[in-house]
Amino acid sequence: MNADHLSGEIRTITDVDDLSTDLARRHRATTSSGATVDQAVVGADMAALARDGYVILKDLITPQDCERIRAAVTPLLDHTGRNTFEGTRTQRVYSVLDKTRVCDPLIDHPRVLALLDRLFLPNYLLSQLQVINLLPGERAQLQHADDGFYPIPRPRAPLSAATIWAIDPFTDTNGATVVVPGSHSWGEDRRPTPSDTHIKAEMPPGSCVFFVGTLWHGGGDNDSPSSRLAVTAQYCEPWLRTQEAFTMSTSRDTARAVSEDLRRMLGYSVHPPFIGAVDGLHPKRLLEND
Ligand SMILES: O=C(O)CCC(=O)C(=O)O
């Protein structure tokens, strides 16, 4: 055991509630840039989320930002999906962070973090980051709820949330994500039927649809002659296993280079008292030591 463990005052723990405090006294949770967003704006977004399960956040990045993303990710789009859920006419890029950093401003956008700060415990995690390009002729994806694979019965609070960013405009015909408003509060056995309201998340490039992990949704039919380029980032509570193992797929150099918000969400954080620790220490030590 490292001598650092032994330095400083020894705390006596007499109550299990003390276990949810910062026992290691190292690298306390850092402040999220979500704190910079006007609380009235966050309140309105949260009200929409509570009612509908989703909210469209318009024009958060510029058309120039979208073109930069398109230029960086297009060469990475080299194969289609392995099944109809990934999409046989859909191209996806996984492990995006170590391939290009151009999507970083989407992942840690303050408007998104402001919502995550209210939905989840501190040190929530990035669970997945993907580029998704729906080619012409792609059929609608099976509707699903993103946190349905965590075996905790519904109805319940969401365990995850997602953004899907339009890099191309999301239109009536090109496969805009289809959401089922209100379905986030459905019980365990209910599935969407054609009689439920389905809304296409039409939005201009540089906007995103933010939705909670309990909302039923899926990619739409692309009946247009053009592809639909999107980037999706999913986040989850800090005590859950993430879909992508970012601490394994992201190099330490990348982890050092990203923003503090992103580093925390990649897993360089501790959910008190011990979840995420490495050799009994805060995982940020790994970035300092080699
Ligand atoms: O591409 C979309 O619009 C939705 C994608 C999605 O929900 C998924 O792949 O899980």
PDB file of all heavy atoms in Angstrom, residues 184-216:
ATOM      1  N   HIS A 184     -41.690   7.648 -20.818  1.00  0.00           N
ATOM      2  CA  HIS A 184     -40.680   7.463 -19.757  1.00  0.00           C
ATOM      3  C   HIS A 184     -41.330   7.038 -18.444  1.00  0.00           C
ATOM      4  O   HIS A 184     -40.664   6.479 -17.589  1.00  0.00           O
ATOM      5  CB  HIS A 184     -39.865   8.748 -19.559  1.00  0.00           C
ATOM      6  CG  HIS A 184     -40.671   9.950 -19.163  1.00  0.00           C
ATOM      7  ND1 HIS A 184     -41.754  10.385 -19.885  1.00  0.00           N
ATOM      8  CD2 HIS A 184     -40.557  10.799 -18.117  1.00  0.00           C
ATOM      9  CE1 HIS A 184     -42.261  11.453 -19.301  1.00  0.00           C
ATOM     10  NE2 HIS A 184     -41.560  11.726 -18.225  1.00  0.00           N
ATOM     11  N   SER A 185     -42.640   7.330 -18.288  1.00  0.00           N
ATOM     12  CA  SER A 185     -43.252   6.932 -17.007  1.00  0.00           C
ATOM     13  C   SER A 185     -44.058   5.636 -17.115  1.00  0.00           C
ATOM     14  O   SER A 185     -44.713   5.246 -16.147  1.00  0.00           O
ATOM     15  CB  SER A 185     -44.092   8.074 -16.435  1.00  0.00           C
ATOM     16  OG  SER A 185     -44.728   8.771 -17.437  1.00  0.00           O
ATOM     17  N   TRP A 186     -43.973   4.956 -18.236  1.00  0.00           N
ATOM     18  CA  TRP A 186     -44.704   3.693 -18.376  1.00  0.00           C
ATOM     19  C   TRP A 186     -44.126   2.612 -17.452  1.00  0.00           C
ATOM     20  O   TRP A 186     -42.953   2.646 -17.097  1.00  0.00           O
ATOM     21  CB  TRP A 186     -44.593   3.169 -19.805  1.00  0.00           C
ATOM     22  CG  TRP A 186     -45.349   3.971 -20.820  1.00  0.00           C
ATOM     23  CD1 TRP A 186     -46.123   5.082 -20.605  1.00  0.00           C
ATOM     24  CD2 TRP A 186     -45.373   3.741 -22.230  1.00  0.00           C
ATOM     25  NE1 TRP A 186     -46.630   5.551 -21.789  1.00  0.00           N
ATOM     26  CE2 TRP A 186     -46.189   4.741 -22.795  1.00  0.00           C
ATOM     27  CE3 TRP A 186     -44.797   2.788 -23.072  1.00  0.00           C
ATOM     28  CZ2 TRP A 186     -46.432   4.819 -24.179  1.00  0.00           C
ATOM     29  CZ3 TRP A 186     -45.033   2.848 -24.434  1.00  0.00           C
ATOM     30  CH2 TRP A 186     -45.861   3.859 -24.976  1.00  0.00           C
ATOM     31  N   GLY A 187     -44.984   1.626 -17.161  1.00  0.00           N
ATOM     32  CA  GLY A 187     -44.570   0.485 -16.330  1.00  0.00           C
ATOM     33  C   GLY A 187     -43.770  -0.533 -17.126  1.00  0.00           C
ATOM     34  O   GLY A 187     -43.507  -0.362 -18.323  1.00  0.00           O
ATOM     35  N   GLU A 188     -43.433  -1.613 -16.446  1.00  0.00           N
ATOM     36  CA  GLU A 188     -42.491  -2.623 -16.958  1.00  0.00           C
ATOM     37  C   GLU A 188     -42.934  -3.265 -18.284  1.00  0.00           C
ATOM     38  O   GLU A 188     -42.134  -3.472 -19.171  1.00  0.00           O
ATOM     39  CB  GLU A 188     -42.339  -3.693 -15.862  1.00  0.00           C
ATOM     40  CG  GLU A 188     -41.341  -4.772 -16.119  1.00  0.00           C
ATOM     41  CD  GLU A 188     -39.899  -4.253 -16.167  1.00  0.00           C
ATOM     42  OE1 GLU A 188     -39.632  -3.131 -15.711  1.00  0.00           O
ATOM     43  OE2 GLU A 188     -39.067  -4.982 -16.716  1.00  0.00           O
ATOM     44  N   ASP A 189     -44.228  -3.569 -18.397  1.00  0.00           N
ATOM     45  CA  ASP A 189     -44.642  -4.419 -19.522  1.00  0.00           C
ATOM     46  C   ASP A 189     -45.173  -3.653 -20.730  1.00  0.00           C
ATOM     47  O   ASP A 189     -45.446  -4.232 -21.773  1.00  0.00           O
ATOM     48  CB  ASP A 189     -45.717  -5.407 -19.052  1.00  0.00           C
ATOM     49  CG  ASP A 189     -45.146  -6.344 -17.999  1.00  0.00           C
ATOM     50  OD1 ASP A 189     -43.948  -6.684 -18.121  1.00  0.00           O
ATOM     51  OD2 ASP A 189     -45.872  -6.688 -17.049  1.00  0.00           O
ATOM     52  N   ARG A 190     -45.345  -2.350 -20.599  1.00  0.00           N
ATOM     53  CA  ARG A 190     -45.964  -1.618 -21.712  1.00  0.00           C
ATOM     54  C   ARG A 190     -44.955  -1.377 -22.841  1.00  0.00           C
ATOM     55  O   ARG A 190     -43.803  -1.027 -22.599  1.00  0.00           O
ATOM     56  CB  ARG A 190     -46.507  -0.278 -21.188  1.00  0.00           C
ATOM     57  CG  ARG A 190     -47.291   0.452 -22.252  1.00  0.00           C
ATOM     58  CD  ARG A 190     -48.187   1.518 -21.678  1.00  0.00           C
ATOM     59  NE  ARG A 190     -48.689   2.359 -22.749  1.00  0.00           N
ATOM     60  CZ  ARG A 190     -49.299   3.499 -22.573  1.00  0.00           C
ATOM     61  NH1 ARG A 190     -49.512   3.958 -21.329  1.00  0.00           N
ATOM     62  NH2 ARG A 190     -49.719   4.215 -23.604  1.00  0.00           N
ATOM     63  N   ARG A 191     -45.410  -1.577 -24.067  1.00  0.00           N
ATOM     64  CA  ARG A 191     -44.609  -1.339 -25.276  1.00  0.00           C
ATOM     65  C   ARG A 191     -45.341  -0.331 -26.147  1.00  0.00           C
ATOM     66  O   ARG A 191     -46.568  -0.280 -26.128  1.00  0.00           O
ATOM     67  CB  ARG A 191     -44.455  -2.634 -26.103  1.00  0.00           C
ATOM     68  CG  ARG A 191     -43.809  -3.796 -25.370  1.00  0.00           C
ATOM     69  CD  ARG A 191     -42.296  -3.595 -25.290  1.00  0.00           C
ATOM     70  NE  ARG A 191     -41.649  -4.683 -24.572  1.00  0.00           N
ATOM     71  CZ  ARG A 191     -41.458  -4.721 -23.250  1.00  0.00           C
ATOM     72  NH1 ARG A 191     -41.899  -3.739 -22.483  1.00  0.00           N
ATOM     73  NH2 ARG A 191     -40.817  -5.726 -22.684  1.00  0.00           N
ATOM     74  N   PRO A 192     -44.607   0.460 -26.965  1.00  0.00           N
ATOM     75  CA  PRO A 192     -45.299   1.394 -27.863  1.00  0.00           C
ATOM     76  C   PRO A 192     -46.142   0.653 -28.891  1.00  0.00           C
ATOM     77  O   PRO A 192     -45.748  -0.423 -29.361  1.00  0.00           O
ATOM     78  CB  PRO A 192     -44.154   2.131 -28.564  1.00  0.00           C
ATOM     79  CG  PRO A 192     -42.932   1.838 -27.782  1.00  0.00           C
ATOM     80  CD  PRO A 192     -43.154   0.527 -27.090  1.00  0.00           C
ATOM     81  N   THR A 193     -47.308   1.205 -29.224  1.00  0.00           N
ATOM     82  CA  THR A 193     -48.155   0.650 -30.285  1.00  0.00           C
ATOM     83  C   THR A 193     -48.430   1.786 -31.272  1.00  0.00           C
ATOM     84  O   THR A 193     -48.220   2.962 -30.941  1.00  0.00           O
ATOM     85  CB  THR A 193     -49.503   0.148 -29.720  1.00  0.00           C
ATOM     86  OG1 THR A 193     -50.219   1.285 -29.224  1.00  0.00           O
ATOM     87  CG2 THR A 193     -49.311  -0.874 -28.621  1.00  0.00           C
ATOM     88  N   PRO A 194     -48.928   1.438 -32.469  1.00  0.00           N
ATOM     89  CA  PRO A 194     -49.179   2.503 -33.459  1.00  0.00           C
ATOM     90  C   PRO A 194     -50.155   3.557 -32.936  1.00  0.00           C
ATOM     91  O   PRO A 194     -50.144   4.703 -33.416  1.00  0.00           O
ATOM     92  CB  PRO A 194     -49.770   1.731 -34.644  1.00  0.00           C
ATOM     93  CG  PRO A 194     -49.231   0.343 -34.490  1.00  0.00           C
ATOM     94  CD  PRO A 194     -49.121   0.100 -33.008  1.00  0.00           C
ATOM     95  N   SER A 195     -50.993   3.227 -31.965  1.00  0.00           N
ATOM     96  CA  SER A 195     -51.947   4.238 -31.484  1.00  0.00           C
ATOM     97  C   SER A 195     -51.301   5.243 -30.515  1.00  0.00           C
ATOM     98  O   SER A 195     -51.897   6.275 -30.206  1.00  0.00           O
ATOM     99  CB  SER A 195     -53.163   3.570 -30.833  1.00  0.00           C
ATOM    100  OG  SER A 195     -52.713   2.812 -29.740  1.00  0.00           O
ATOM    101  N   ASP A 196     -50.078   4.978 -30.048  1.00  0.00           N
ATOM    102  CA  ASP A 196     -49.395   5.977 -29.217  1.00  0.00           C
ATOM    103  C   ASP A 196     -48.868   7.108 -30.105  1.00  0.00           C
ATOM    104  O   ASP A 196     -48.553   6.887 -31.280  1.00  0.00           O
ATOM    105  CB  ASP A 196     -48.200   5.333 -28.481  1.00  0.00           C
ATOM    106  CG  ASP A 196     -48.658   4.338 -27.426  1.00  0.00           C
ATOM    107  OD1 ASP A 196     -49.504   4.719 -26.599  1.00  0.00           O
ATOM    108  OD2 ASP A 196     -48.185   3.183 -27.450  1.00  0.00           O
ATOM    109  N   THR A 197     -48.761   8.292 -29.512  1.00  0.00           N
ATOM    110  CA  THR A 197     -48.197   9.423 -30.271  1.00  0.00           C
ATOM    111  C   THR A 197     -46.706   9.185 -30.509  1.00  0.00           C
ATOM    112  O   THR A 197     -45.968   8.855 -29.572  1.00  0.00           O
ATOM    113  CB  THR A 197     -48.385  10.730 -29.464  1.00  0.00           C
ATOM    114  OG1 THR A 197     -49.765  10.877 -29.201  1.00  0.00           O
ATOM    115  CG2 THR A 197     -47.842  11.931 -30.209  1.00  0.00           C
ATOM    116  N   HIS A 198     -46.287   9.318 -31.752  1.00  0.00           N
ATOM    117  CA  HIS A 198     -44.865   9.230 -32.108  1.00  0.00           C
ATOM    118  C   HIS A 198     -44.463  10.580 -32.695  1.00  0.00           C
ATOM    119  O   HIS A 198     -45.140  11.086 -33.589  1.00  0.00           O
ATOM    120  CB  HIS A 198     -44.622   8.128 -33.143  1.00  0.00           C
ATOM    121  CG  HIS A 198     -44.800   6.738 -32.600  1.00  0.00           C
ATOM    122  ND1 HIS A 198     -46.018   6.223 -32.223  1.00  0.00           N
ATOM    123  CD2 HIS A 198     -43.894   5.762 -32.354  1.00  0.00           C
ATOM    124  CE1 HIS A 198     -45.860   4.980 -31.767  1.00  0.00           C
ATOM    125  NE2 HIS A 198     -44.568   4.684 -31.831  1.00  0.00           N
ATOM    126  N   ILE A 199     -43.368  11.142 -32.196  1.00  0.00           N
ATOM    127  CA  ILE A 199     -42.916  12.459 -32.680  1.00  0.00           C
ATOM    128  C   ILE A 199     -41.534  12.311 -33.302  1.00  0.00           C
ATOM    129  O   ILE A 199     -40.647  11.690 -32.687  1.00  0.00           O
ATOM    130  CB  ILE A 199     -42.811  13.471 -31.504  1.00  0.00           C
ATOM    131  CG1 ILE A 199     -44.121  13.578 -30.746  1.00  0.00           C
ATOM    132  CG2 ILE A 199     -42.265  14.819 -31.962  1.00  0.00           C
ATOM    133  CD1 ILE A 199     -45.044  14.642 -31.225  1.00  0.00           C
ATOM    134  N   LYS A 200     -41.359  12.877 -34.487  1.00  0.00           N
ATOM    135  CA  LYS A 200     -40.021  12.901 -35.084  1.00  0.00           C
ATOM    136  C   LYS A 200     -39.286  14.123 -34.548  1.00  0.00           C
ATOM    137  O   LYS A 200     -39.832  15.237 -34.595  1.00  0.00           O
ATOM    138  CB  LYS A 200     -40.126  12.990 -36.608  1.00  0.00           C
ATOM    139  CG  LYS A 200     -40.714  11.751 -37.238  1.00  0.00           C
ATOM    140  CD  LYS A 200     -40.864  11.927 -38.739  1.00  0.00           C
ATOM    141  CE  LYS A 200     -41.608  10.722 -39.316  1.00  0.00           C
ATOM    142  NZ  LYS A 200     -41.990  10.911 -40.717  1.00  0.00           N
ATOM    143  N   ALA A 201     -38.086  13.899 -34.051  1.00  0.00           N
ATOM    144  CA  ALA A 201     -37.316  15.006 -33.456  1.00  0.00           C
ATOM    145  C   ALA A 201     -36.667  15.822 -34.571  1.00  0.00           C
ATOM    146  O   ALA A 201     -35.459  15.775 -34.794  1.00  0.00           O
ATOM    147  CB  ALA A 201     -36.270  14.457 -32.500  1.00  0.00           C
ATOM    148  N   GLU A 202     -37.514  16.576 -35.284  1.00  0.00           N
ATOM    149  CA  GLU A 202     -36.980  17.418 -36.368  1.00  0.00           C
ATOM    150  C   GLU A 202     -36.250  18.592 -35.736  1.00  0.00           C
ATOM    151  O   GLU A 202     -36.768  19.225 -34.808  1.00  0.00           O
ATOM    152  CB  GLU A 202     -38.122  17.912 -37.249  1.00  0.00           C
ATOM    153  CG  GLU A 202     -38.773  16.785 -38.043  1.00  0.00           C
ATOM    154  CD  GLU A 202     -39.943  17.289 -38.877  1.00  0.00           C
ATOM    155  OE1 GLU A 202     -39.739  18.212 -39.700  1.00  0.00           O
ATOM    156  OE2 GLU A 202     -41.064  16.770 -38.685  1.00  0.00           O
ATOM    157  N   MET A 203     -35.060  18.873 -36.235  1.00  0.00           N
ATOM    158  CA  MET A 203     -34.266  19.967 -35.650  1.00  0.00           C
ATOM    159  C   MET A 203     -33.154  20.371 -36.610  1.00  0.00           C
ATOM    160  O   MET A 203     -32.715  19.564 -37.437  1.00  0.00           O
ATOM    161  CB  MET A 203     -33.689  19.560 -34.285  1.00  0.00           C
ATOM    162  CG  MET A 203     -32.892  18.285 -34.285  1.00  0.00           C
ATOM    163  SD  MET A 203     -32.434  17.782 -32.591  1.00  0.00           S
ATOM    164  CE  MET A 203     -31.900  16.096 -32.893  1.00  0.00           C
ATOM    165  N   PRO A 204     -32.708  21.627 -36.484  1.00  0.00           N
ATOM    166  CA  PRO A 204     -31.610  22.073 -37.352  1.00  0.00           C
ATOM    167  C   PRO A 204     -30.272  21.509 -36.903  1.00  0.00           C
ATOM    168  O   PRO A 204     -30.117  21.116 -35.736  1.00  0.00           O
ATOM    169  CB  PRO A 204     -31.634  23.603 -37.202  1.00  0.00           C
ATOM    170  CG  PRO A 204     -32.406  23.889 -35.975  1.00  0.00           C
ATOM    171  CD  PRO A 204     -33.261  22.690 -35.657  1.00  0.00           C
ATOM    172  N   PRO A 205     -29.278  21.479 -37.800  1.00  0.00           N
ATOM    173  CA  PRO A 205     -27.952  21.002 -37.407  1.00  0.00           C
ATOM    174  C   PRO A 205     -27.424  21.818 -36.231  1.00  0.00           C
ATOM    175  O   PRO A 205     -27.703  23.014 -36.120  1.00  0.00           O
ATOM    176  CB  PRO A 205     -27.081  21.248 -38.638  1.00  0.00           C
ATOM    177  CG  PRO A 205     -27.961  21.735 -39.718  1.00  0.00           C
ATOM    178  CD  PRO A 205     -29.338  21.949 -39.187  1.00  0.00           C
ATOM    179  N   GLY A 206     -26.673  21.151 -35.356  1.00  0.00           N
ATOM    180  CA  GLY A 206     -26.129  21.856 -34.188  1.00  0.00           C
ATOM    181  C   GLY A 206     -27.062  21.811 -32.995  1.00  0.00           C
ATOM    182  O   GLY A 206     -26.759  22.367 -31.939  1.00  0.00           O
ATOM    183  N   SER A 207     -28.212  21.124 -33.149  1.00  0.00           N
ATOM    184  CA  SER A 207     -29.177  20.975 -32.050  1.00  0.00           C
ATOM    185  C   SER A 207     -29.108  19.534 -31.561  1.00  0.00           C
ATOM    186  O   SER A 207     -28.590  18.661 -32.255  1.00  0.00           O
ATOM    187  CB  SER A 207     -30.600  21.229 -32.556  1.00  0.00           C
ATOM    188  OG  SER A 207     -30.656  22.423 -33.300  1.00  0.00           O
ATOM    189  N   CYS A 208     -29.680  19.288 -30.380  1.00  0.00           N
ATOM    190  CA  CYS A 208     -29.766  17.882 -29.940  1.00  0.00           C
ATOM    191  C   CYS A 208     -31.117  17.612 -29.300  1.00  0.00           C
ATOM    192  O   CYS A 208     -31.775  18.527 -28.804  1.00  0.00           O
ATOM    193  CB  CYS A 208     -28.644  17.517 -28.981  1.00  0.00           C
ATOM    194  SG  CYS A 208     -28.766  18.176 -27.325  1.00  0.00           S
ATOM    195  N   VAL A 209     -31.515  16.338 -29.378  1.00  0.00           N
ATOM    196  CA  VAL A 209     -32.659  15.894 -28.581  1.00  0.00           C
ATOM    197  C   VAL A 209     -32.061  15.202 -27.357  1.00  0.00           C
ATOM    198  O   VAL A 209     -31.199  14.332 -27.478  1.00  0.00           O
ATOM    199  CB  VAL A 209     -33.635  14.992 -29.386  1.00  0.00           C
ATOM    200  CG1 VAL A 209     -32.959  13.810 -30.043  1.00  0.00           C
ATOM    201  CG2 VAL A 209     -34.785  14.519 -28.491  1.00  0.00           C
ATOM    202  N   PHE A 210     -32.459  15.691 -26.184  1.00  0.00           N
ATOM    203  CA  PHE A 210     -31.997  15.137 -24.902  1.00  0.00           C
ATOM    204  C   PHE A 210     -33.158  14.334 -24.346  1.00  0.00           C
ATOM    205  O   PHE A 210     -34.281  14.847 -24.263  1.00  0.00           O
ATOM    206  CB  PHE A 210     -31.642  16.296 -23.954  1.00  0.00           C
ATOM    207  CG  PHE A 210     -31.114  15.848 -22.612  1.00  0.00           C
ATOM    208  CD1 PHE A 210     -29.779  16.059 -22.275  1.00  0.00           C
ATOM    209  CD2 PHE A 210     -31.939  15.249 -21.668  1.00  0.00           C
ATOM    210  CE1 PHE A 210     -29.274  15.658 -21.034  1.00  0.00           C
ATOM    211  CE2 PHE A 210     -31.440  14.837 -20.426  1.00  0.00           C
ATOM    212  CZ  PHE A 210     -30.106  15.053 -20.114  1.00  0.00           C
ATOM    213  N   PHE A 211     -32.926  13.077 -23.959  1.00  0.00           N
ATOM    214  CA  PHE A 211     -34.034  12.304 -23.378  1.00  0.00           C
ATOM    215  C   PHE A 211     -33.533  11.395 -22.265  1.00  0.00           C
ATOM    216  O   PHE A 211     -32.346  11.045 -22.216  1.00  0.00           O
ATOM    217  CB  PHE A 211     -34.807  11.512 -24.442  1.00  0.00           C
ATOM    218  CG  PHE A 211     -33.972  10.635 -25.332  1.00  0.00           C
ATOM    219  CD1 PHE A 211     -33.722   9.319 -25.010  1.00  0.00           C
ATOM    220  CD2 PHE A 211     -33.445  11.123 -26.519  1.00  0.00           C
ATOM    221  CE1 PHE A 211     -32.956   8.502 -25.832  1.00  0.00           C
ATOM    222  CE2 PHE A 211     -32.680  10.311 -27.357  1.00  0.00           C
ATOM    223  CZ  PHE A 211     -32.437   9.005 -27.011  1.00  0.00           C
ATOM    224  N   VAL A 212     -34.452  11.053 -21.373  1.00  0.00           N
ATOM    225  CA  VAL A 212     -34.082  10.190 -20.248  1.00  0.00           C
ATOM    226  C   VAL A 212     -34.089   8.729 -20.703  1.00  0.00           C
ATOM    227  O   VAL A 212     -34.769   8.374 -21.676  1.00  0.00           O
ATOM    228  CB  VAL A 212     -35.027  10.406 -19.038  1.00  0.00           C
ATOM    229  CG1 VAL A 212     -34.794  11.775 -18.426  1.00  0.00           C
ATOM    230  CG2 VAL A 212     -36.487  10.201 -19.408  1.00  0.00           C
ATOM    231  N   GLY A 213     -33.323   7.897 -19.978  1.00  0.00           N
ATOM    232  CA  GLY A 213     -33.111   6.515 -20.406  1.00  0.00           C
ATOM    233  C   GLY A 213     -34.351   5.647 -20.380  1.00  0.00           C
ATOM    234  O   GLY A 213     -34.356   4.546 -20.933  1.00  0.00           O
ATOM    235  N   THR A 214     -35.414   6.128 -19.740  1.00  0.00           N
ATOM    236  CA  THR A 214     -36.667   5.372 -19.683  1.00  0.00           C
ATOM    237  C   THR A 214     -37.591   5.679 -20.868  1.00  0.00           C
ATOM    238  O   THR A 214     -38.643   5.047 -20.999  1.00  0.00           O
ATOM    239  CB  THR A 214     -37.406   5.699 -18.364  1.00  0.00           C
ATOM    240  OG1 THR A 214     -37.282   7.097 -18.114  1.00  0.00           O
ATOM    241  CG2 THR A 214     -36.834   4.930 -17.197  1.00  0.00           C
ATOM    242  N   LEU A 215     -37.207   6.633 -21.711  1.00  0.00           N
ATOM    243  CA  LEU A 215     -38.094   7.027 -22.832  1.00  0.00           C
ATOM    244  C   LEU A 215     -37.983   6.039 -23.996  1.00  0.00           C
ATOM    245  O   LEU A 215     -36.877   5.705 -24.436  1.00  0.00           O
ATOM    246  CB  LEU A 215     -37.718   8.430 -23.337  1.00  0.00           C
ATOM    247  CG  LEU A 215     -38.693   8.981 -24.382  1.00  0.00           C
ATOM    248  CD1 LEU A 215     -39.928   9.562 -23.690  1.00  0.00           C
ATOM    249  CD2 LEU A 215     -38.040  10.032 -25.276  1.00  0.00           C
ATOM    250  N   TRP A 216     -39.126   5.616 -24.521  1.00  0.00           N
ATOM    251  CA  TRP A 216     -39.134   4.764 -25.723  1.00  0.00           C
ATOM    252  C   TRP A 216     -38.848   5.633 -26.945  1.00  0.00           C
ATOM    253  O   TRP A 216     -39.448   6.700 -27.114  1.00  0.00           O
ATOM    254  CB  TRP A 216     -40.483   4.047 -25.855  1.00  0.00           C
ATOM    255  CG  TRP A 216     -40.634   2.944 -24.851  1.00  0.00           C
ATOM    256  CD1 TRP A 216     -41.060   3.068 -23.567  1.00  0.00           C
ATOM    257  CD2 TRP A 216     -40.319   1.562 -25.045  1.00  0.00           C
ATOM    258  NE1 TRP A 216     -41.038   1.842 -22.932  1.00  0.00           N
ATOM    259  CE2 TRP A 216     -40.591   0.890 -23.819  1.00  0.00           C
ATOM    260  CE3 TRP A 216     -39.844   0.808 -26.108  1.00  0.00           C
ATOM    261  CZ2 TRP A 216     -40.404  -0.469 -23.647  1.00  0.00           C
ATOM    262  CZ3 TRP A 216     -39.655  -0.560 -25.941  1.00  0.00           C
ATOM    263  CH2 TRP A 216     -39.934  -1.180 -24.725  1.00  0.00           C
TER     264      TRP A 216
END
